[in-house]
């Protein structure tokens, strides 16, 4: 089974694996964090076309106690709704030159409305890639879109699917 994209050196995702992580989550995963969705920088949906829900700083600090800055995959839930796949950036977002760390969760679902102030629960299950800077906004968006594909593929495995039913999401 082919698990990488093309080897075109001009493609930002060239050589990246489509499936990441072991066959089941291994320590320090899963990492469970929650908090009310806070206003972010307003870039995800508007500038990137990839809406994000931002975790409060306390949740970001809790998540980063056991893992480095980077991009992760797992499951997320808003206000006891359906548990959905997510990809999450934990870090500084160097392309935008952030001055504080953020936890930006892209829940892979088309929501009709924003949900600021609502509780979001996140199960971080694995590492996708390190955080990096980009030459262009197009490269950033291409990498995020590939991160989404990686998350969906990596979450298909039975041990990862089971975590959707964890009592954390009850």
């Amino acid at each position: 089974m082919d698990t990488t994209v093309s080897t075109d050196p001009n493609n930002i995702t060239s050589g990246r694996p489509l499936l990441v992580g072991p066959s089941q989550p291994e320590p320090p995963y899963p990492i469970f964090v929650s908090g009310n969705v806070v206003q972010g920088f307003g870039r995800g949906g508007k500038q990137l076309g990839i809406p994000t829900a931002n975790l409060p700083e306390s949740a970001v600090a809790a998540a980063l106690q056991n893992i480095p800055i980077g991009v992760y995959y797992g499951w997320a839930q808003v206000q006891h709704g359906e548990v959905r796949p997510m990809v999450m950036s934990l870090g500084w977002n160097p392309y935008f030159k952030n001055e504080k760390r953020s936890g930006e969760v892209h829940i892979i679902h088309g929501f009709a409305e924003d949900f600021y102030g609502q509780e979001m629960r996140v199960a971080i299950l694995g590492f996708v890639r390190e955080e990096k800077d980009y030459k262009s906004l197009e490269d950033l968006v291409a990498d995020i879109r590939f991160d989404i594909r990686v998350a969906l593929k990596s979450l298909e495995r039975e041990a990862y699917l089971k975590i959707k039913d964890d009592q954390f999401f009850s």
Side-chain angles (χ1 to χ4, degrees):
M1 171 176 42
D2 183 21
T3 59
T4 60
V5 292
S6 77
T7 55
D8 177 358
N10 297 319
N11 184 337
I12 190 74
T13 62
S14 179
R16 285 190 50 202
L18 191 56
L19 181 68
V20 296
S23 61
Q24 61 186 22
E26 296 178 353
Y29 308 107
I31 297 171
F32 297 103
V33 294
S34 64
N36 290 347
V37 175
V38 297
Q39 185 78 40
F41 301 101
R43 297 186 291 241
K46 295 177 184 75
Q47 194 171 358
L48 303 176
I50 304 167
T52 58
N54 290 29
L55 287 166
E57 288 182 50
S58 59
V60 173
L64 287 171
Q65 283 182 347
N66 297 308
I67 56 176
I69 285 171
V71 177
Y72 294 85
Y73 66 94
W75 301 105
Q77 176 190 50
V78 177
Q79 285 300 109
H80 304 288
E82 188 173 335
V83 178
R84 301 184 184 281
M86 67 87 185
V87 65
M88 172 184 198
S89 169
L90 271 174
W92 298 98
N93 300 319
Y95 179 81
F96 293 108
K97 312 219 180 328
N98 287 7
E99 294 184 14
K100 68 176 185 174
R101 293 183 308 195
S102 64
E104 299 175 83
V105 178
H106 172 66
I107 301 174
I108 305 169
H109 176 74
F111 288 95
E113 298 178 7
D114 291 335
F115 37 86
Y116 296 115
Q118 295 185 34
E119 183 187 32
M120 180 170 59
R121 297 176 185 202
V122 175
I124 303 168
L125 301 180
F127 183 76
V128 175
R129 64 175 172 84
E130 293 179 352
E131 181 177 65
K132 58 185 175 182
D133 202 351
Y134 295 89
K135 293 180 182 176
S136 70
L137 189 63
E138 293 77 19
D139 284 350
L140 170 61
V141 170
D143 228 9
I144 295 170
R145 295 217 180 277
F146 192 76
D147 296 339
I148 292 167
R149 291 179 57 202
V150 169
L152 291 170
K153 184 69 174 172
S154 298
L155 288 168
E156 288 177 351
R157 296 171 288 186
E158 185 177 342
Y160 291 85
L161 287 169
K162 285 181 181 178
I163 295 175
K164 283 178 68 172
D165 297 323
D166 189 276
Q167 65 182 0
F168 174 72
F169 292 116
S170 299

